[in-house]
Amino acid sequence: MNKKKVMKIIKIVLIILLVIVVLFLVNAIRNFIIVKELKENFKQYTSYNNYHIKVTSYETDGTRVILNYYKKDNKEAVILERNKDETISKILMYNNGTRKDVFYDNPQEKKAELNADLIIEVQLYDYFETQTDLQLFGGNMFAQIKKINYNGKECYSLNNSFTPALLSKESNEVYIEKDTGLVVRTNIGSIISEREYEFDTVKDEIFAEPDISQYELIEKN
């Protein structure tokens, strides 16, 4: 093979590599513009203190977990329902601003813990959290992002997007609503979770606790 043919092959290879690099950079910039817009759209919810979030999760063994979280000012209520093999167990948590109470309700027993130390909190979170522009670019340069219609809403599907909100090493897919920046679905490993939102609809009645006389009190040591 003469020198001219070798140079021609090298030139073709370099052109192909250059095209690949350009296409990669174009896609990376496109991804950055999309996630930057989603992050900006979410900002409208950072000051909300009256909202309801419903999270429905499905596991591979057929278990379904439904979590309803209610917040109004400094009050919180959580209703967690686990359904497996048609057996339903519930955990109800209440925070009235000064005290946290938890109620356990399953087919075998009903127990209550007053002045509990823990309550589940389901925040309105920015999927991209406090990432800088550089982190947004780097964390999404290899992501696959496409427009989809999900439950009648225009969303983006993000595959393998890296974010501090998702530290799992497993493959992931996240659906984020385009106009709000709210996460509406996640597929992390084998668990699929769907999220629904309501704003300014939570009433004081939701924070009324169950009749304590129906529960056995858990004594603290």
Side-chain angles (χ1 to χ4, degrees), residues 54-127:
K54 180 180 179 181
V55 183
T56 305
S57 300
Y58 304 90
E59 302 176 11
T60 53
D61 63 356
T63 301
R64 183 180 67 172
V65 178
I66 300 176
L67 185 151
N68 282 283
Y69 175 81
Y70 301 87
K71 180 176 178 60
K72 183 181 179 184
D73 299 325
N74 63 342
K75 296 180 181 180
E76 298 172 286
V78 179
I79 302 173
L80 180 64
E81 180 180 298
R82 187 173 186 268
N83 189 330
K84 182 178 182 181
D85 299 329
E86 298 185 356
T87 299
I88 299 176
S89 301
K90 290 184 178 181
I91 301 177
L92 300 92
M93 306 179 184
Y94 298 89
N95 176 10
N96 64 11
T98 58
R99 192 180 78 182
K100 302 174 183 179
D101 299 330
V102 181
F103 299 82
Y104 303 91
D105 193 337
N106 60 64
Q108 290 75 40
E109 59 186 3
K110 298 177 72 170
K111 293 187 176 183
E113 180 181 0
L114 305 182
N115 293 306
D117 298 324
L118 179 66
I119 187 170
I120 295 175
E121 185 176 4
V122 183
Q123 296 181 341
L124 289 167
Y125 72 91
D126 175 5
Y127 181 73

Side-chain angles (χ1 to χ4, degrees), residues 127-128 139-140 142-145 157-163 165-176 185-191:
Y127 181 73
F128 303 103
N140 292 279
F142 296 107
Q144 295 85 50
I145 302 178
S157 166
L158 286 73
N159 275 277
N160 297 320
S161 167
F162 176 79
T163 167
L166 184 65
L167 299 178
S168 172
K169 295 182 180 179
E170 299 180 276
S171 61
N172 64 80
E173 182 178 25
V174 180
Y175 293 1
I176 302 180
R185 175 186 167 106
T186 60
N187 187 351
I188 311 301
S190 60
I191 300 177

Side-chain angles (χ1 to χ4, degrees), residues 149-161:
N149 186 287
Y150 182 70
N151 289 338
K153 298 176 180 178
E154 187 176 357
C155 301
Y156 283 108
S157 166
L158 286 73
N159 275 277
N160 297 320
S161 167

